[in-house]
Amino acid sequence: MNTAPQTGLVLPELAGRAPEPSTSRAAEGCAIFIYIYIYFFFFPPATSFFFYFLAADPAVISPQDPTLLIGSSLTATCTVSADFHLRAEDLYWTLNGRRLPAASYAALGPTTLSVALARLNGSKQQSGDNLVCHSRDGGILAGSCLYVGLPPEKPVNISCWSKNMKDLTCKWAPGTEGETFLHTNYTLKYKLRWYGRDNTCQEYHTAGPYSCHIPKDLALFTPYEIWVEASNRLGVAVSDVVMLDILDVVTTDPPADVHVSRVGDLEDQLSVRWSSPPALKDFLFQAKYQIQYRVEDSSEWKVVDDVGNQTSCRLAGLRPGTVYFVQVRCNPFGIYGSKKAGIWSDWSNPTAASTPRSERAAGGCDPKGGEQNTTLRRELKQFFGWVKKHAYGCSNLSIKLYDQWRVWLQKSHKTRNQVLPGDKL
Amino acid sequence: MPRPSLPQFPRVQDEAGAGGDSWGIFAFLCAALCNLPAVPALNGTEELGAGQSIQKTYDLTRYLEHQLRTLAGTYLNYLGPPFNEPDFNPPRLARAEQVPSATVDLDLWRGLTDNARLAANYRAYSRLLCYLRGLDGQAGTAELRHRLGHFCSSLQGLVVSIAGVMSSLGYPLPAGPAGPPPPPGAPAAPNDFLKKMDDFWLLKELQTWLWRSAKDFNRLKKKVPPAVVTLRLEARGF
């Protein structure tokens, strides 16, 4: 196509096509020219193209938008409308933009061309494979979207939890992992075991792609049946039914106000205190707690399991002069008198504290003394710098402040170079 | 604040060769000056606001243009080849006339009054927004749906912004599709392939409109401020 955008008018290539008869068509033609002008004025094409304006469908493809199983075969036909003066020999097919071999074509009539597709693979995109019938010069006459895939498999691993007995969130896993050629719709359904009416969950994707949240109208003390239906164009699959009572899957917020402090001068102990999550007092359940802690530089957590329902605990057997990170979580149990445990909450945000430094290492006759002093001095300098910036002067100076600074150091990854391994003993 | 003085007038006069618009402005200014003692200085600030609104609207069209590039790329990949091929150009079917076209004769475009220019933009984006909202709700990944939603909100912002410019310049909003009514008489595509073509053309028209709007608002930007500033300072002078 010859284009000269600056001159203003461009003639589209109409070689081999009958001229449009009526004046309305001519007016439409004018509109095209102007369109092309503006089009090229704004973004000139890299390659030539064929452009024409149609009032009726130029061709019809059959089958239109079929759904097929992977591995099946298909014969599609393209029938050109009489107005277009095209014959079967003037047509060709493409699938997803790639031309199909002429060997698979067959002329079924003067204006009808068919193509045979064997052993189809799954659709390249969920919107369907694009099977297109073209005229010889590349123009698109008609298209059909092929949906090729597999029926869904039943979803598995349904697990649910209720936050403070107020709602229910469930998640599941799809039966087939990996690619799904067809779009699959998941519906979570639930009903009271002995009442019969199915309900559908409405809020999806609240805790990941395969999850749903039921915010209200949930009954307690009575079992629910919950299941997930997966459906796509090829069929439906229903998961196994899960039966549960809301009170059995209760979880709550993590404990609040976690404080970790030293126990006097004891070098190997820290005291942890927290308050129970606020929801606890409303719901007639008790809570049991778990603590986990780790040394500043390690990623290995130690768990303390036998905390019971106290809101404080003393950690013993710790290393002196070390910074520890501590987290607490809780599990509501004995809900309305039942003996079962609920589901553990999330861990609280980590809190840091350090054990007092051992007396032994502070001797002046220690050959490493000089080295330690320089390190200590450097650390102190940095500490005071930080205090000036963050602690509004020295009135709040306390060992707590020093611990906070150590946590801050850790976070800004400067610890590596400052603390010598020797100090940790 | 410096007075850009009366020389503004000769400048407007020199532009007379460019068409009737400049004479219109000049005539308006004369009429305004004659009535100036009755004109509260506050009018001046309102019209200065119009200049800022126009700038904001211009910026918004550039932002949307940028967003559209990514969105269109993702959506066309979802439609699959050949829709996402760079030289793809399917036939424009008569039914596709429903989508407002940005194309217009160049001289006609140059000669549009400010009101007509703004109204064309307002009407086009109101309808484009409708069609965009009607794009397949199940389309592709959650990420694509999220991007589409975000783009629709921004486009809604553009419609509101244009309405703001129109009212600050004293033009009435075009009657009819104010806000999003259901696409009037637009038949649903009879098959999935034609629906894909409709989606393709919708994105293309959106792209062309944003290109054109940037030029529309650039033009408006140049026209509105000088008259406004002169008016405001003349008010101070009295």
Side-chain angles (χ1 to χ4, degrees):
Chain A
M1 152 167 269
N2 295 323
T3 65
Q6 280 68 38
T7 62
L9 284 184
V10 168
L11 293 177
E13 213 164 48
L14 289 174
R17 298 183 48 74
E20 314 288 21
S22 68
T23 47
S24 67
R25 289 280 179 102
E28 286 167 355
C30 273
I32 309 167
F33 297 164
I34 293 161
Y35 172 80
I36 298 170
Y37 178 89
I38 299 285
Y39 190 91
F40 285 129
F41 186 76
F42 289 139
F43 33 96
T47 61
S48 67
F49 75 100
F50 187 106
F51 185 91
Y52 56 97
F53 197 80
L54 305 161
D57 289 344
V60 171
I61 290 187
S62 173
Q64 182 71 56
D65 309 333
T67 306
L68 304 150
L69 271 174
I70 289 184
S72 55
S73 300
L74 175 73
T75 304
T77 62
C78 176
T79 306
V80 191
S81 119
D83 304 341
F84 283 78
H85 305 284
L86 285 169
R87 296 154 306 159
E89 302 86 82
D90 300 326
L91 309 175
Y92 71 92
W93 293 91
T94 62
L95 180 63
N96 287 329
R98 273 141 120 237
R99 193 162 179 151
L100 293 170
S104 55
Y105 301 168
L108 298 183
T111 53
T112 305
L113 182 70
S114 78
V115 66
L117 302 161
R119 288 184 304 277
L120 290 164
N121 288 325
S123 285
K124 192 165 185 288
Q125 54 273 336
Q126 283 192 354
S127 64
D129 288 328
N130 300 311
L131 179 66
V132 185
C133 175
H134 299 258
S135 62
R136 199 210 312 266
D137 8 38
I140 292 177
L141 299 172
S144 177
C145 294
L146 308 183
Y147 301 97
V148 188
L150 298 165
E153 282 185 20
K154 60 183 202 179
V156 294
N157 296 347
I158 301 179
S159 71
C160 303
W161 63 93
S162 169
K163 194 86 177 291
N164 300 324
M165 291 182 273
K166 291 211 165 87
D167 61 11
L168 190 69
T169 309
C170 292
K171 66 178 208 270
W172 61 90
T176 353
E177 35 169 271
E179 53 199 350
T180 39
F181 302 105
L182 303 173
H183 172 76
T184 307
N185 230 347
Y186 293 93
T187 313
L188 182 95
K189 293 197 174 163
Y190 59 102
K191 74 190 227 329
L192 285 166
R193 186 169 179 202
W194 296 305
Y195 284 76
R197 199 172 57 129
D198 287 2
N199 297 294
T200 309
C201 177
Q202 309 289 342
E203 296 174 28
Y204 289 87
H205 317 299
T206 50
Y210 304 107
S211 65
C212 196
H213 176 244
I214 305 165
K216 55 186 180 132
D217 297 336
L218 288 167
L220 303 178
F221 300 111
T222 180
Y224 272 94
E225 288 184 356
I226 300 177
W227 67 98
V228 180
E229 292 177 7
S231 75
N232 68 17
R233 284 168 186 266
L234 282 169
V236 181
V238 182
S239 71
D240 294 332
V241 174
V242 159
M243 206 130 53
L244 57 80
D245 189 329
I246 305 285
L247 293 179
D248 291 338
V249 292
V250 179
T251 186
T252 185
D253 311 291
D257 302 329
V258 178
H259 294 294
V260 186
S261 48
R262 293 178 172 188
V263 184
D265 285 330
L266 295 174
E267 303 160 351
D268 64 339
Q269 296 189 16
L270 284 174
S271 157
V272 189
R273 276 174 299 112
W274 59 90
S275 43
S276 56
L280 217 72
K281 54 180 165 342
D282 301 331
F283 297 115
L284 299 174
F285 54 66
Q286 299 181 317
K288 57 180 179 173
Y289 300 95
Q290 231 182 30
I291 301 176
Q292 69 174 7
Y293 62 94
R294 68 173 172 89
V295 179
E296 187 176 6
D297 283 341
S298 153
S299 54
E300 224 184 275
W301 291 96
K302 274 218 189 78
V303 178
V304 179
D305 233 333
D306 47 0
V307 184
N309 61 352
Q310 310 303 315
T311 54
S312 65
C313 177
R314 198 184 277 198
L315 303 173
L318 306 175
R319 261 192 257 153
T322 322
V323 175
Y324 283 88
F325 292 135
V326 180
Q327 290 180 304
V328 190
R329 67 177 180 176
C330 86
N331 186 334
F333 79 96
I335 299 163
Y336 289 129
S338 104
K339 295 227 173 23
K340 284 200 198 152
I343 298 177
W344 286 106
S345 72
D346 291 331
W347 289 105
S348 64
N349 285 329
T351 314
S354 65
T355 46
R357 195 172 280 274
S358 169
E359 289 300 317
R360 287 172 284 126
C365 303
D366 195 330
K368 277 197 182 168
E371 234 176 290
Q372 276 188 338
N373 281 345
T374 330
T375 318
L376 185 61
R377 198 165 183 281
R378 209 179 342 137
E379 257 192 31
L380 272 175
K381 259 184 93 171
Q382 286 171 344
F383 175 58
F384 286 131
W386 182 87
V387 163
K388 259 198 223 154
K389 263 188 10 194
H390 292 98
Y392 310 104
C394 289
S395 54
N396 294 343
L397 207 55
S398 68
I399 197 65
K400 257 192 133 26
L401 203 60
Y402 176 72
D403 291 336
Q404 279 182 27
W405 173 68
R406 290 300 293 266
V407 175
W408 176 84
L409 261 194
Q410 165 110 68
K411 282 186 186 156
S412 48
H413 297 293
K414 286 181 189 156
T415 313
R416 302 286 162 223
N417 298 329
Q418 264 91 43
V419 178
L420 298 176
D423 284 343
K424 289 289 190 196
L425 295 175
Chain B
M1 179 125 174
R3 262 176 85 135
S5 59
L6 291 170
Q8 293 284 351
F9 279 109
R11 197 139 45 108
V12 170
Q13 270 177 320
D14 285 345
E15 271 186 354
D21 281 342
S22 313
W23 282 108
I25 294 177
F26 181 54
F28 166 72
L29 280 170
C30 283
L33 279 173
C34 293
N35 291 314
L36 214 41
V39 172
L42 207 52
N43 262 359
T45 4
E46 273 176 14
E47 296 210 14
L48 198 60
Q52 286 171 348
S53 301
I54 292 171
Q55 179 63 47
K56 261 173 45 186
T57 313
Y58 172 81
D59 292 339
L60 196 46
T61 62
R62 300 313 302 269
Y63 169 74
L64 280 167
E65 205 186 325
H66 174 74
Q67 287 296 103
L68 184 60
R69 255 188 283 259
T70 324
L71 175 65
T74 315
Y75 197 83
L76 293 177
N77 281 337
Y78 166 70
L79 295 184
F83 293 93
N84 57 355
E85 281 162 11
D87 54 353
F88 179 65
N89 217 303
R92 194 101 192 251
L93 301 173
R95 36 172 289 103
E97 277 294 276
Q98 304 287 341
V99 177
S101 179
T103 64
V104 66
D105 175 66
L106 209 55
D107 288 325
L108 198 71
W109 178 74
R110 272 212 203 99
L112 282 174
T113 61
D114 293 348
N115 190 5
R117 195 179 296 280
L118 285 164
N121 273 270
Y122 181 82
R123 271 193 289 262
Y125 287 117
S126 301
R127 293 185 64 192
L128 285 167
L129 187 57
C130 276
Y131 287 113
L132 208 59
R133 283 186 173 142
L135 274 188
D136 190 1
Q138 297 289 335
T141 59
E143 197 218 324
L144 177 58
R145 289 195 296 273
H146 178 77
R147 279 224 189 122
L148 259 172
H150 179 72
F151 189 85
C152 281
S153 307
S154 307
L155 194 57
Q156 170 76 60
L158 178 61
V159 172
V160 168
S161 194
I162 297 174
V165 171
M166 290 185 83
S167 65
S168 71
L169 289 177
Y171 300 132
L173 283 184
N191 64 56
D192 293 349
F193 188 80
L194 286 177
K195 169 105 193 4
K196 286 194 180 185
M197 296 239 281
D198 285 351
D199 292 351
F200 175 85
W201 279 114
L202 175 61
L203 292 172
K204 244 322 182 242
E205 274 303 347
L206 206 37
Q207 192 174 44
T208 319
W209 261 109
L210 288 168
W211 275 69
R212 171 181 152 171
S213 293
K215 292 171 179 18
D216 279 324
F217 286 103
N218 221 8
R219 216 177 164 79
L220 283 165
K221 244 197 310 187
K222 292 180 186 148
K223 280 169 136 199
V224 175
V228 169
V229 173
T230 310
L231 176 67
R232 181 162 163 267
L233 292 168
E234 288 304 310
R236 287 243 178 107
F238 278 80

